[in-house]
Amino acid sequence: MEKRLSSESIATLPPATAVVVGLGKIGLPLAVQYARHGWYVIGCDVNPDVVEQINAGRSHIHEEPGLEEAVAQLVQEGRLRATSDTTAAVRQARAVVVIVPVLMDEAHRANLTALEAATRSIGRGLQPETLVLYETTLPVGTTAHHLAPLLESESGLQAGSDFWLAYSPERVSSGTIFRDLRLYPKVVGGFNPPSTEAAVAFYRSVLDTSEIIVMPSTDDAEFVKLIETTYRDVNIALANEFARFADAHGLDVQAAIAAANSQPYSHIHTPSVGVGGHCIPVYPYFLLAGAEAVTEQVDGFAPLLQLPRQARAINDSMATYAVRRLEMALGSLRGQTVLILGIAYRGDVRELAFSSAALLRTALEKRGAHVLADDPLFSSEEIRAAGYTPFSPSEAAAVRAIILQAAHTAYRSFDFRPFSHCQVVLDGRQALQRSAIEALGMRYLAIGDGSPGRSRQRQLAAFRRREATASSQETAATTRHRPKSAH
């Protein structure tokens, strides 16, 4: 007979312990969330420095509002602690939440090495009637067909009967995690119905959201996260295509998008110099891996997921397109100094994963430019360690062009006055004040501002005027030299 973990049983556990495996930017806030809702939480991480800091009441993550204060308080109250011994922690747990990152290799394949190691450690400590939840974004089928067998082989227990197993994708963003946990519905899919029931009961005990969406299986729940992320990538690619069309035809894409989005069924995103982060540039490839597994065509239709594949290529090409826009404004970039503002993948987030800054740097260097980088969230040593040449204020006069790559709040008040020889500022995130830049005699560019098309239109108009003038002069000359008729 299958055992069931209900919300009533959770409420009467005396007291219950939850384990969070992976104390990164999402894992630590989750641990705090659970501890605030009455669970004793043990956080597990392979980094001993992280474990030491948390046990001392210090958060190693500083960008999440309220997190540092909460860690200090919960550690002091004895409701939160950390360890590197995942197996020992799991032996004490009634619920285990896994949020270990999955990386992508150079061939765009999911690298499950760290997650597999964590899963084996969990399996060795897994006790009957324990709930195991994976929140890491995964390719479809990973929880049921890859991780479940690992847990079973290490523990000697059977998923769905001896322990409960479910998948529930994290749906939060760095900097707003606690808010997102309140606002966004929680998506849950279980290995079997009792596992789903156990997962729903757990999340009702730790979350403030009133809506939990139950999916038929772990595969379905994995699919949800991949398509919601891929949708954003495809939407951004479409916006970038609109921007390039606008540039070619002398149109303003931002004004057009704003007008189009006034219709409730239009939700066009913002064009930019590229897409970065752990999610949007990565998870479409997890979805594509599932498409590649289906080799046959069905009823003569084309191969699966062509649009997401093309969207990835479009978004990764935007850095090169932005550099081409600089070339159109400046001429050759060889020997020119170009400053990239922001190496982080997103504004006000101290994270470099798949940042478009790297693509910009590569495209600029291929054209012989001397590339400098600035970012208020990183020290000069960290910028250099990331492969960039840090900008020094003494170099301001040498800079000929500036590209805003990350829309940090600090850049809204950035002082462009010292850049006395800068001719062009390319606003890659639509975040700067055009009038302030142009008041300094610099040219302002944005992706989709239509300036290439308008320039061609002006050139064509000038050519036509010259042609008309030449034709008029030729007609006049012919008239003057035409012999008079004899009468």
Side-chain angles (χ1 to χ4, degrees):
M1 179 178 177
E2 292 179 320
K3 306 177 184 68
R4 293 181 180 269
L5 179 62
S6 67
S7 55
E8 291 78 12
S9 67
I10 284 180
T12 58
L13 289 175
T17 295
V19 166
V20 176
V21 182
L23 295 175
K25 290 178 178 291
I26 297 176
L28 183 56
L30 288 182
V32 165
Q33 177 77 12
Y34 304 159
R36 281 173 167 171
H37 284 72
W39 287 73
Y40 286 97
V41 179
I42 306 173
C44 302
D45 202 278
V46 295
N47 187 334
D49 293 334
V50 168
V51 171
E52 181 180 354
Q53 287 187 64
I54 291 172
N55 285 333
R58 299 192 304 271
S59 171
H60 60 291
I61 297 166
H62 310 291
E63 297 83 20
E64 201 64 45
L67 181 62
E68 293 177 274
E69 298 82 356
V71 168
Q73 178 182 349
L74 292 168
V75 169
Q76 184 178 21
E77 294 173 354
R79 304 198 69 85
L80 173 65
R81 63 185 178 89
T83 181
S84 294
D85 192 341
T86 299
T87 299
V90 170
R91 290 194 184 103
Q92 307 171 55
R94 294 302 304 273
V96 180
V97 177
V98 189
I99 187 70
V100 174
V102 170
L103 304 178
M104 184 174 67
D105 63 21
E106 293 182 357
H108 300 139
R109 295 171 302 204
N111 182 345
L112 301 173
T113 303
L115 185 62
E116 290 169 342
T119 297
R120 289 189 177 93
S121 295
I122 293 165
R124 288 192 289 270
L126 192 58
Q127 302 298 303
E129 299 188 47
T130 301
L131 169 65
V132 180
L133 285 155
Y134 286 90
E135 291 211 1
T136 303
T137 303
L138 299 170
V140 171
T142 304
T143 301
H145 307 295
H146 187 68
L147 300 176
L150 284 179
L151 291 170
E152 291 174 336
S153 65
E154 293 290 342
S155 67
L157 305 174
Q158 291 297 307
S161 56
D162 298 321
F163 69 93
W164 298 281
L165 176 64
Y167 179 79
S168 178
E170 57 83 6
R171 308 179 78 196
V172 296
S173 297
S174 296
T176 59
I177 290 178
F178 294 122
R179 183 207 69 178
D180 296 346
L181 288 171
R182 290 193 306 272
L183 296 180
Y184 300 159
K186 193 66 173 144
V187 175
V188 177
F191 184 81
N192 61 352
S195 293
T196 301
E197 181 183 336
V200 170
F202 172 75
Y203 282 123
R204 290 209 183 281
S205 77
V206 296
L207 297 178
D208 302 311
T209 181
S210 59
E211 185 173 3
I212 295 179
I213 300 173
V214 175
M215 303 303 294
S217 68
T218 57
D219 286 13
D220 288 276
E222 289 164 344
F223 186 44
V224 169
K225 178 58 183 284
L226 296 182
I227 64 172
E228 71 180 35
T229 308
T230 302
Y231 159 79
R232 294 174 64 192
D233 197 38
V234 170
N235 194 315
I236 294 168
L238 182 61
N240 284 329
E241 290 285 82
F242 291 157
R244 294 175 65 178
F245 182 92
D247 280 342
H249 289 271
L251 307 172
D252 182 345
V253 76
Q254 286 290 31
I257 288 174
N261 285 350
S262 67
Q263 206 273 358
Y265 298 105
S266 181
H267 307 282
I268 305 166
H269 290 5
T270 302
S272 67
V273 293
V275 177
H278 291 288
C279 302
I280 299 179
V282 175
Y283 300 151
Y285 288 114
F286 291 5
L287 190 62
L288 291 169
E292 291 166 359
V294 182
T295 56
E296 73 278 4
Q297 296 186 7
V298 180
D299 296 330
F301 283 98
L304 300 176
L305 299 177
Q306 294 184 87
L307 186 57
R309 193 182 308 277
Q310 185 65 19
R312 278 281 70 242
I314 290 169
N315 287 336
D316 280 350
S317 74
M318 290 307 294
T320 299
Y321 178 73
V323 171
R324 176 63 185 140
R325 287 288 311 274
L326 280 188
E327 283 184 316
M328 294 170 68
L330 284 176
S332 174
L333 297 178
R334 184 164 299 280
Q336 306 287 0
T337 298
V338 180
L339 172 62
I340 297 174
L341 295 181
I343 64 172
Y345 80 84
R346 180 161 64 88
D348 297 331
V349 173
R350 186 182 145 81
E351 180 59 64
L352 299 174
F354 298 97
S355 172
S356 297
L359 297 175
L360 286 168
R361 177 191 59 200
T362 299
L364 287 165
E365 289 175 347
K366 283 183 177 179
R367 286 156 177 78
H370 174 52
V371 184
L372 302 176
D374 173 82
D375 197 305
L377 304 186
F378 297 88
S379 67
S380 294
E381 291 74 18
E382 290 171 324
I383 292 173
R384 184 175 288 105
Y388 302 89
T389 301
F391 167 73
S392 169
S394 63
E395 300 172 288
V399 173
R400 292 288 304 280
I402 297 173
I403 302 176
L404 177 74
Q405 191 285 136
H408 296 319
T409 301
Y411 288 143
R412 295 177 187 171
S413 57
F414 188 76
D415 187 2
F416 288 91
R417 290 175 299 178
F419 298 89
S420 55
H421 292 87
C422 180
Q423 297 181 16
V424 178
V425 175
L426 193 154
D427 185 357
R429 301 294 174 187
Q430 314 281 348
L432 300 175
Q433 290 187 354
R434 177 173 187 158
S435 59
I437 291 168
E438 292 180 337
L440 296 174
M442 302 175 189
R443 184 177 176 185
Y444 175 92
L445 299 179
I447 303 297
D449 62 6
S451 57
R454 288 193 296 275
S455 177
R456 282 192 292 272
Q457 289 168 2
R458 287 192 296 269
Q459 291 171 0
L460 180 60
F463 173 78
R464 287 173 175 169
R465 285 195 299 270
R466 289 194 298 270
E467 287 284 292
T469 300
S471 177
S472 176
Q473 291 172 345
E474 182 178 349
T475 300
T478 301
T479 301
R480 285 196 303 270
H481 294 90
R482 180 182 300 158
K484 294 182 179 180
S485 299
H487 295 284

